[in-house]
Amino acid sequence: MRRRLRAGVVAIAAAAIIGFGTTLPAEAFEPVPGQGEAPAVTVSPTAPGGPGSEQPLPAEPTTEAPIPAGPEAPTTDSPMPSPPPPLPTAPTEHQPDPDPEPDPLAPPGDPVEPDPTIPPLHAALTDITPFAPGAHRLAGADRYETAVAISQRFAPVVPVLYVATGADFPDALTAAAAAAHQGGPLLLTRADALPVVVREEIGRLAPARIVVAGGEAVVGSAVYDELATMTPSISRVGGSDRFETAELLIAGAFTASTQAFVATSRDFPDALAASAAAGRLDAPVFLVDGLSGSVRPSTVAALRNLGVQTVRIAGSTGAVGAAVGQQFALNGFTVMRHQGVDRYLTAAAINEAVFGGVVSLSSAFITTGSGFADALAGAALAGGIGAPLYLTRSECIPHVVSVALNERAPAARVVLGGTNVVSDAVEQGTACAMVWAKPAVGRITGAFGPRAPICTPGGCSQSFHRGIDLGTGCGAPIYAASGGRVTSAGWLGTYGNWVKIAHGSGIDTGYAHLANGGILVRVGQLLRAGQQVGWSGATGAATGCHLHFEVYQGGVQIDPAPFMALRGIRLG
């Protein structure tokens, strides 16, 4: 069912940015080759006037492992790329090892261009009060009151109301997408008693129908009987387990859909963002046991009954295993996977995939990534108005999420939950400190500044070297110097295989001469500081394997050594 905003629609402020410019002190660490995606925070310098900020990553051992063997031959770069030769062919033998969840090396399924399968934003049939430009908070004394505060955006006489337990998340996650599709809110209840504040809100909503999500073990008969006195129509939808309950909820709410989200039932973060995004697509959210390696036949049958063609997996292979994705593909579905290296970047990746083509975004929701209670009802509201739901830390917005939010520039930002779970700093738009990481291990073999031109079969350099060369040897891991979005990933003339990352605040970094087949990221992907972007090589105008590392400030290449030193990273 389509949703309609209440009369007096608020005009969207052009490129509205709320409360940004506040950041926490910068943090720095040196990635350890072969240690995965969470290198240790080793230094905590503050760079006066430095760009952006981010929360430090969890600590790990800081002993550096030796880099793969390879020559530190003289190196050559050309900062002025020549016309590109044909793209490099077969990958080298240096391929990434499979990682546990999250899988940082698998390319995301996010479309970079607007996805033609996503319908345009639509007018709706349910009255929902729009948010004025600026920052808002929907909160109550507990999860039940918070759900009521969210529900109060709906005008009375809703077509349907979904009620689910507030003690657990699986039933409510699927119910949120169903509620968004049918134009109604989601409220939470205790198993044995309907909270007074919830009863009062149901009286105000005057729902034409109530759907109770879950069996008597999660929403007891006494609660059901009380709800039955408050509506002309009520039904209970509960299966033998959370998977069957989800399938039954979907069957009762959807008659057809070309797309569906799939998320793990073992944890909540990925499914929260998926539930809101599903509302944008008018799509259901199915739950799977992501680590089982198989898909229930009833889930496949339910997808086929709806006419689903595309299955969107929310989360990495650590959450929903590769075998599950393969099962969907073998059953004839087109499979897309939306993932990040953590729950915050996974939510951002889902939003990029679904909302990336939206020119003017009226609202975006922000909720804690450490708990599900406040966001359950919020996912139904976000889906109801076609808005994304982002996850945040309590004390600040993760830097990369902040970058994504700034790019989307929603006119209104809506925080879900009280200040004990999402701080005032988040409401004001404070980004976490930007983390900086060493891009590669190796001595400096070429400094920034003037030098004699050098020619190789791959081209000639200019007389000014606009970056720093690090003698990594061949096949060494190359890391993102900080979190941000990939803006270039491919062949770039004498730079060879090249990756460029925008970090926000006018800062970009570049990584040249990566090995053939050694680029591990794609344009549009959101990265965390220290996440591996590729393997070192000698493509383009290079005489030996190395990393040519560049830093841009305001679009101008600057000396990376002092810039990184101010942020606690010593190159070389």
Side-chain angles (χ1 to χ4, degrees):
M1 178 177 290
R2 307 301 189 190
R3 281 77 57 194
R4 173 172 54 82
L5 296 183
R6 184 172 295 175
V9 175
V10 178
I12 299 173
I17 298 179
I18 301 165
F20 272 73
T22 304
T23 57
L24 300 182
E27 301 287 346
F29 65 82
E30 296 189 5
V32 181
Q35 294 246 349
E37 291 303 329
V41 176
T42 58
V43 191
S44 300
T46 301
S53 55
E54 178 171 287
Q55 183 71 12
L57 301 177
E60 287 188 359
T62 58
T63 304
E64 291 188 353
I67 63 174
E72 287 194 4
T75 57
T76 303
D77 297 294
S78 171
M80 297 298 292
S82 61
L87 290 175
T89 55
T92 68
E93 69 276 14
H94 304 291
Q95 296 298 320
D97 294 328
D99 283 343
E101 195 254 335
D103 178 7
L105 305 184
D110 312 351
V112 176
E113 299 298 328
D115 190 339
T117 67
I118 298 176
L121 288 174
H122 46 258
L125 301 179
T126 298
D127 284 343
I128 301 175
T129 304
F131 292 93
H136 305 265
R137 184 184 292 271
L138 300 178
D142 58 23
R143 62 191 62 190
Y144 306 103
E145 290 191 16
T146 295
V148 167
I150 294 167
S151 170
Q152 286 174 348
R153 306 300 294 192
F154 289 78
V157 193
V158 294
V160 64
L161 166 67
Y162 280 76
V163 177
T165 176
D168 205 356
F169 59 86
D171 297 341
L173 289 173
T174 297
H181 176 68
Q182 295 201 311
L186 170 68
L187 288 173
L188 305 179
T189 183
R190 296 186 177 90
D192 56 353
L194 187 68
V196 173
V197 67
V198 177
R199 179 181 178 86
E200 292 173 351
E201 173 62 5
I202 295 174
R204 186 194 69 83
L205 289 169
R209 180 167 61 98
I210 292 178
V211 178
V212 176
E216 289 190 5
V218 292
V219 179
S221 58
V223 173
Y224 184 90
D225 292 343
E226 186 174 1
L227 292 170
T229 66
M230 306 178 70
T231 181
S233 175
I234 188 170
S235 61
R236 181 191 292 276
V237 179
S240 59
D241 56 27
R242 58 188 59 185
F243 309 107
E244 185 180 9
T245 295
E247 291 166 6
L248 293 172
L249 284 167
I250 291 166
F254 293 83
T255 57
S257 180
T258 59
Q259 303 183 66
F261 269 96
V262 170
T264 180
S265 67
R266 292 174 176 257
D267 206 355
F268 63 88
D270 299 342
L272 280 178
S275 293
R280 168 79 169 90
L281 301 176
D282 276 330
V285 177
F286 285 84
L287 299 181
V288 297
D289 184 350
L291 303 182
S292 69
S294 62
V295 180
R296 292 162 56 108
S298 59
T299 299
V300 173
L303 290 165
R304 287 176 173 160
N305 288 340
L306 291 174
V308 169
Q309 300 171 13
T310 301
V311 170
R312 295 176 177 266
I313 297 177
S316 72
T317 55
V320 179
V324 174
Q326 291 166 0
Q327 285 291 311
F328 284 121
L330 289 173
N331 278 281
F333 301 105
T334 299
V335 178
M336 303 177 69
R337 183 181 290 274
H338 310 306
Q339 64 179 324
V341 297
D342 57 26
R343 61 188 59 192
Y344 307 103
L345 267 66
T346 291
I350 291 169
N351 293 331
E352 290 300 309
V354 174
F355 297 91
V358 178
V359 176
S360 296
L361 194 62
S362 63
S363 304
F365 288 74
I366 304 172
T367 191
T368 176
S370 60
F372 61 85
D374 294 333
L376 293 174
L381 176 60
I385 64 174
L389 176 65
Y390 290 88
L391 302 184
T392 183
R393 299 182 186 276
S394 173
E395 67 278 11
C396 55
I397 304 171
H399 168 70
V400 181
V401 177
S402 173
V403 169
L405 271 167
N406 279 345
E407 291 174 347
R408 295 273 73 82
R413 301 190 183 195
V414 184
V415 172
L416 302 176
T419 55
N420 60 322
V421 291
V422 181
S423 67
D424 284 332
V426 170
E427 185 176 352
Q428 295 162 7
T430 302
C432 299
M434 181 179 266
V435 173
W436 289 92
K438 180 177 285 190
V441 177
R443 67 182 179 89
I444 295 177
T445 58
F448 182 89
R451 74 175 183 186
I454 304 173
C455 292
T456 73
C460 294
S461 72
Q462 284 195 329
S463 59
F464 195 95
H465 190 222
R466 301 182 186 275
I468 277 184
D469 292 341
L470 298 174
T472 59
C474 296
I478 306 302
Y479 302 101
S482 192
R485 182 187 301 282
V486 178
T487 57
S488 180
W491 189 269
L492 187 63
T494 54
Y495 278 54
N497 291 317
W498 159 261
V499 170
K500 189 175 183 181
I501 303 170
H503 305 289
S505 301
I507 303 298
D508 302 81
T509 55
Y511 313 78
H513 307 308
L514 302 183
N516 284 335
I519 295 177
L520 304 179
V521 296
R522 62 187 298 174
V523 171
Q525 185 175 351
L526 293 169
L527 305 176
R528 189 171 62 177
Q531 184 172 341
Q532 189 176 0
V533 301
W535 301 98
S536 65
T539 56
T543 59
C545 291
H546 71 289
L547 170 67
H548 173 75
F549 176 62
E550 294 186 348
V551 173
Y552 298 74
Q553 194 164 39
V556 178
Q557 290 138 316
I558 62 173
D559 190 343
F563 177 90
M564 295 297 286
L566 282 173
R567 288 149 182 84
I569 300 298
R570 182 180 62 83
L571 298 177

